Amino acid sequence: MESDKLVCKACGSDSFTTGQVGGSSSQGNIRPIGSVMTFGSSLLMTFCKNCGEVASIKVDNPKKFK
């Protein structure tokens, strides 16, 4: 997705940035189903700087789910 020029579906802007949900604490992290003792991984979201429309959601560390 980074190699393609993103255009917002909602407002037509081409100005995007990436933010993170979760992190060093487990709050906001995605965890494997049924696993309450793991910290899981944060989520990275690429979103429009103009209107906030989310273009991409990506798990930061998918290896924690193998």
Side-chain angles (χ1 to χ4, degrees):
M1 184 175 273
E2 284 78 37
S3 63
D4 297 332
K5 184 69 175 174
L6 293 174
V7 176
C8 180
K9 296 184 294 183
C11 73
S13 174
D14 64 355
S15 183
F16 284 80
T17 191
T18 301
Q20 178 176 315
V21 177
S24 59
S25 73
S26 63
Q27 287 190 319
N29 284 359
I30 187 168
R31 297 186 317 262
I33 293 173
S35 181
V36 294
M37 298 303 290
T38 182
F39 285 107
S41 179
S42 59
L43 295 173
L44 302 176
M45 294 190 184
T46 302
F47 60 93
C48 176
K49 285 182 163 181
N50 185 53
C51 72
E53 179 76 11
V54 176
S56 170
I57 301 173
K58 181 178 178 178
V59 174
D60 187 36
N61 192 350
K63 292 178 182 175
K64 290 190 175 188
F65 294 83
K66 294 181 180 180

